[in-house]
Amino acid sequence: MYATEYTHRHIEELTLNHWQPLSTSLYDGWVLRFAKGYTKRANSVQAIYPSTLDVHEKITACEQFYTSNQLSTIFKITPFVQPEELDQLLQDKGYVVMDRTLVQLRRLEDLKAPEHLEAHINEQLTDEWLHHFCRLNAVNEECRETMTEMLSNVRAKTAFITLSVDGLVAACGLGVVERGVIGLHDIITDTTYRNRGLAEQMILHLLHWGKSHGAVSSYLQVVENNAPARRLYAKLGYTDAYTYWYRTKKYIP
């Protein structure tokens, strides 16, 4: 288990801060996030704080909240879930597991320098970065508008990075620094340029940027069955901290 002064619960809070929804509702210790359905992270219930109300009534109320917003009801299940039996209760109610994900951490000592120098970091969201991110991720116009609002809601220090090959943008990503930690998000490489080490170089640029802004450690999130990404992150020194997954019940209009 990764041991630092930053607890895993602290990291979990940062992951919520660094991928903002469009709106948030607090409900007896549960955090309900809404973003027009763009990503499960931003459209799910985060049950990470103690509650006082009956859990069955709360689940029903959450279903009503999300249904009224034309969204599927999704719960994010972490080691900090409250109450501890919530995962089993949701399973009993017909919720299925989706996207088992690892949160990985590393310290920033002994950080090697990047070799690829065609990297550009902008600390403000730009149309150019959005264009390349949406191109590489095949994000449609409606989702682009939602994502623009979400990224504009982040209140921590941000780094929007692009990496180029022969003047053409081949990869991009996002780093966010808060309370001595840099989180890495949406690391993506053009399919034409994969397996050339570009993602590794881009991450090294982001980690050095984070270190220059006070970060002493880093986290990222990777889907458990994404073997290529996990190999890359292991090479970069990331180790598993904890696992989370989603429980979902499909919205039926």
Side-chain angles (χ1 to χ4, degrees):
M1 181 68 70
Y2 186 95
T4 76
E5 61 186 288
Y6 302 107
T7 66
H8 295 168
R9 183 185 293 275
H10 169 78
I11 296 297
E12 185 63 22
E13 290 185 347
L14 293 182
T15 71
L16 300 183
N17 288 348
H18 298 171
W19 191 252
Q20 285 287 335
L22 299 184
S23 63
T24 299
S25 293
L26 301 180
Y27 177 35
D28 186 43
W30 290 3
V31 184
L32 282 61
R33 291 154 58 91
F34 303 89
K36 298 181 180 179
Y38 183 65
T39 74
K40 287 184 288 298
R41 276 183 288 165
N43 293 272
S44 52
V45 181
Q46 320 291 317
I48 59 175
Y49 300 112
S51 304
T52 58
L53 301 177
D54 178 79
V55 64
H56 298 282
E57 293 180 4
K58 289 182 68 174
I59 292 171
T60 298
C62 288
E63 291 172 347
Q64 293 170 348
F65 280 129
Y66 282 90
T67 297
S68 67
N69 283 274
Q70 294 78 51
L71 295 170
S72 300
T73 306
I74 302 172
F75 287 80
K76 185 179 179 183
I77 305 298
T78 69
F80 328 110
V81 71
Q82 297 285 336
E84 293 181 1
E85 67 272 18
L86 180 60
D87 187 51
Q88 184 62 53
L89 292 175
L90 292 172
Q91 178 174 299
D92 294 343
K93 291 177 180 292
Y95 282 74
V96 297
V97 171
M98 292 184 66
D99 295 346
R100 289 187 180 274
T101 301
L102 298 169
V103 176
Q104 299 186 325
L105 307 175
R106 69 153 292 168
R107 300 285 296 184
L108 298 187
E109 295 99 346
D110 303 321
L111 190 61
K112 69 178 182 180
E115 300 170 0
H116 188 99
L117 300 180
E118 281 191 78
H120 177 72
I121 291 178
N122 197 313
E123 295 181 2
Q124 302 296 324
L125 180 63
T126 65
D127 287 338
E128 180 182 8
W129 186 91
L130 276 168
H131 166 74
H132 291 298
F133 177 86
C134 293
R135 173 177 61 85
L136 296 177
N137 280 282
V139 176
N140 64 35
E141 189 59 34
E142 181 180 359
C143 289
R144 171 176 171 155
E145 291 179 8
T146 300
M147 182 185 173
T148 301
E149 290 186 61
M150 291 167 60
L151 292 174
S152 298
N153 285 342
V154 177
R155 293 294 176 260
K157 191 80 171 174
T158 51
F160 298 92
I161 188 171
T162 56
L163 196 74
S164 299
V165 176
D166 299 327
L168 300 175
V169 172
C172 66
L174 168 65
V176 187
V177 169
E178 184 180 358
R179 288 179 268 170
V181 183
I182 177 170
L184 305 186
H185 301 272
D186 291 308
I187 304 299
I188 181 72
T189 303
D190 190 314
T191 54
T192 306
Y193 293 92
R194 288 179 183 172
N195 301 314
R196 299 191 189 182
L198 297 184
E200 177 183 3
Q201 294 300 308
M202 188 167 61
I203 289 172
L204 288 172
H205 277 286
L206 281 174
L207 295 181
H208 277 280
W209 173 88
K211 195 171 182 179
S212 73
H213 287 84
V216 296
S217 62
S218 172
Y219 76 84
L220 55 78
Q221 300 161 95
V222 58
V223 176
E224 194 173 60
N225 62 7
N226 188 343
R230 290 180 63 181
R231 285 194 295 270
L232 167 63
Y233 301 145
K235 180 181 179 182
L236 283 162
Y238 284 87
T239 58
D240 297 347
Y242 61 92
T243 303
Y244 70 83
W245 56 90
Y246 295 96
R247 287 274 184 185
T248 183
K249 179 178 283 188
K250 200 163 189 177
Y251 164 69
I252 302 176

